[in-house]
Amino acid sequence: MFSSNGKMLKLVMVVALVVGVPTAYGAGDFHSEFEQTFGDHRLQISGPGNKDLSLTLDQYSGAGFRSKNEYLYGRIDMQIKLIPGDSAGTVTTFYLTSDQSTGKHDEIDFEFLGNASGQPYTVHTNVFSQGQGSREQQFHLWFDPSKNYHTYSIVWNPKLIMFLVDNTPLRVFRNYENHGIMFFPKNQRQRIYASLWEADDWATQGGRIKTDWSKAPFKAYYRNFNIDTSPNGAWMNHDLDANSRKRLKWVQKNYMIYNYCTDWKRYSQNLPPECKHAKHN
Ligand SMILES: *[C@@H]1O[C@H](CO)[C@@H](O)[C@H](O)[C@H]1NC(C)=O
């Protein structure tokens, strides 16, 4: 078709520039990268370049979306502004999962559990490998996440999964396969999901506080996502440095409210095997 490889190369380069491959998918355009999973009119995309998205929860339904593509490793950043005021019983999510119908799925979760007015959100994180989860850590935040957008990031490379908020690490979950511990998502592609739904039976203080529907509709906002799966992207070797290790310690000391690795009641003598390594981060 082309007379020389030079022309072909130029064409490939131009196409790569225009559509932004392979480093950024869709350049923050929700229409091009994502599709709605439920909620009808409760999902709205707006703004120049389709970079703003809102989800609404009312008595009848919440709403959600997922990426059209599946990924094996990468860094995903999402700016989110959570429901203000009384958000008790609501759950806003941003997570990755492989196909759940297999019974052996992998998953990497960020979930934001709403609360009564003036009470802090709980940031719930979890990791699933081959259908097994129960690796929860929970945090409060050092700011009100409903006042402004903040950037929530998942870095997933062959060595680790890192959960970050505005570039401060909340949690690092490492691959300890060289210690014989086979609990790490590493061979199933995952889609990006996000949703807003209601779960007042467990979400808020163990179900003691119910969703106040007189405050509905509830709205959460997403914008300016970025997906970096370029194999030479910085995420590939992303790890803690001296400064981020210090930040992680600060978060864990002051804002961590639950860690499965210290839940002796739940595990008695048998903490999951990665826990004895995880102390050292
Ligand atoms: C809600 O606020 C209470 C009281 O400050 C706190 O203990 C709890 O962790 C918060 N989060 C949820 C989801 O209930």
Side-chain angles (χ1 to χ4, degrees), residues 113-116 119-122 140 203-206 257:
L113 315 184
N115 215 333
Q119 303 297 319
Y121 268 82
T122 291
H140 287 155
T204 305
Q205 300 180 21
I257 54 174

Side-chain angles (χ1 to χ4, degrees), residues 44-106:
Q44 298 285 335
I45 292 172
S46 61
N50 302 316
K51 292 184 183 190
D52 292 280
L53 182 151
S54 66
L55 296 181
T56 299
L57 168 68
D58 59 32
Q59 267 134 296
Y60 306 103
S61 178
F65 58 98
R66 69 174 192 185
S67 62
K68 295 176 189 170
N69 295 310
E70 298 177 309
Y71 305 98
L72 184 62
Y73 303 129
R75 174 181 177 130
I76 295 112
D77 300 292
M78 184 70 82
Q79 295 184 2
I80 307 174
K81 188 161 71 147
L82 296 170
I83 301 161
D86 187 348
S87 58
T90 68
V91 181
T92 307
T93 69
F94 163 46
Y95 62 103
L96 307 180
T97 183
S98 63
D99 179 3
Q100 299 202 347
S101 68
T102 62
K104 296 257 175 214
H105 79 286
D106 293 338

Side-chain angles (χ1 to χ4, degrees), residues 201-227:
D201 51 334
W202 67 275
T204 305
Q205 300 180 21
R208 278 175 290 131
I209 299 193
K210 295 293 169 193
T211 305
D212 180 356
W213 291 112
S214 75
K215 306 276 165 53
F218 302 101
K219 271 177 184 288
Y221 300 89
Y222 296 73
R223 74 174 189 198
N224 289 346
F225 70 85
N226 192 57
I227 302 167

Side-chain angles (χ1 to χ4, degrees), residues 28-260:
D29 181 328
F30 280 103
H31 275 307
S32 65
E33 176 61 23
F34 290 95
E35 61 195 18
Q36 187 166 1
T37 45
F38 69 108
D40 305 310
H41 59 278
R42 297 173 189 84
L43 180 152
Q44 298 285 335
I45 292 172
S46 61
N50 302 316
K51 292 184 183 190
D52 292 280
L53 182 151
S54 66
L55 296 181
T56 299
L57 168 68
D58 59 32
Q59 267 134 296
Y60 306 103
S61 178
F65 58 98
R66 69 174 192 185
S67 62
K68 295 176 189 170
N69 295 310
E70 298 177 309
Y71 305 98
L72 184 62
Y73 303 129
R75 174 181 177 130
I76 295 112
D77 300 292
M78 184 70 82
Q79 295 184 2
I80 307 174
K81 188 161 71 147
L82 296 170
I83 301 161
D86 187 348
S87 58
T90 68
V91 181
T92 307
T93 69
F94 163 46
Y95 62 103
L96 307 180
T97 183
S98 63
D99 179 3
Q100 299 202 347
S101 68
T102 62
K104 296 257 175 214
H105 79 286
D106 293 338
E107 187 175 324
I108 302 170
D109 292 332
F110 250 134
E111 296 188 304
F112 305 91
L113 315 184
N115 215 333
S117 277
Q119 303 297 319
Y121 268 82
T122 291
V123 181
H124 175 94
T125 65
N126 202 359
V127 175
F128 286 70
S129 168
Q130 299 291 317
Q132 295 228 39
S134 303
R135 264 66 182 176
E136 304 91 347
Q137 284 188 0
Q138 294 185 337
F139 305 85
H140 287 155
L141 292 165
W142 48 97
F143 53 85
D144 176 351
S146 68
K147 277 238 164 75
N148 296 297
Y149 285 91
H150 291 269
T151 303
Y152 302 88
S153 311
I154 295 172
V155 174
W156 175 34
N157 66 37
K159 285 192 312 197
L160 58 80
I161 293 162
M162 200 181 291
F163 297 86
L164 303 109
V165 177
D166 296 329
N167 276 321
T168 291
L170 289 188
R171 172 172 192 185
V172 180
F173 187 89
R174 290 191 187 274
N175 182 352
Y176 290 112
E177 68 186 330
N178 56 356
H179 290 88
I181 297 165
M182 305 316 260
F183 192 104
F184 194 83
K186 60 170 211 172
N187 48 27
Q188 303 192 75
R189 305 177 79 77
Q190 303 194 42
R191 272 181 220 278
I192 307 162
Y193 281 76
S195 58
L196 170 59
W197 51 289
E198 182 262 320
D200 70 4
D201 51 334
W202 67 275
T204 305
Q205 300 180 21
R208 278 175 290 131
I209 299 193
K210 295 293 169 193
T211 305
D212 180 356
W213 291 112
S214 75
K215 306 276 165 53
F218 302 101
K219 271 177 184 288
Y221 300 89
Y222 296 73
R223 74 174 189 198
N224 289 346
F225 70 85
N226 192 57
I227 302 167
D228 186 352
T229 56
S230 158
N232 42 24
W235 62 272
M236 202 25 150
N237 297 306
H238 191 99
D239 205 334
L240 297 171
D241 58 16
N243 186 50
S244 55
R245 182 169 280 116
K246 216 186 284 170
R247 297 286 291 168
L248 177 70
K249 284 205 172 124
W250 172 79
V251 172
Q252 300 210 329
K253 175 159 180 263
N254 297 292
Y255 297 98
M256 185 191 272
I257 54 174
Y258 177 80
N259 181 4
Y260 75 104

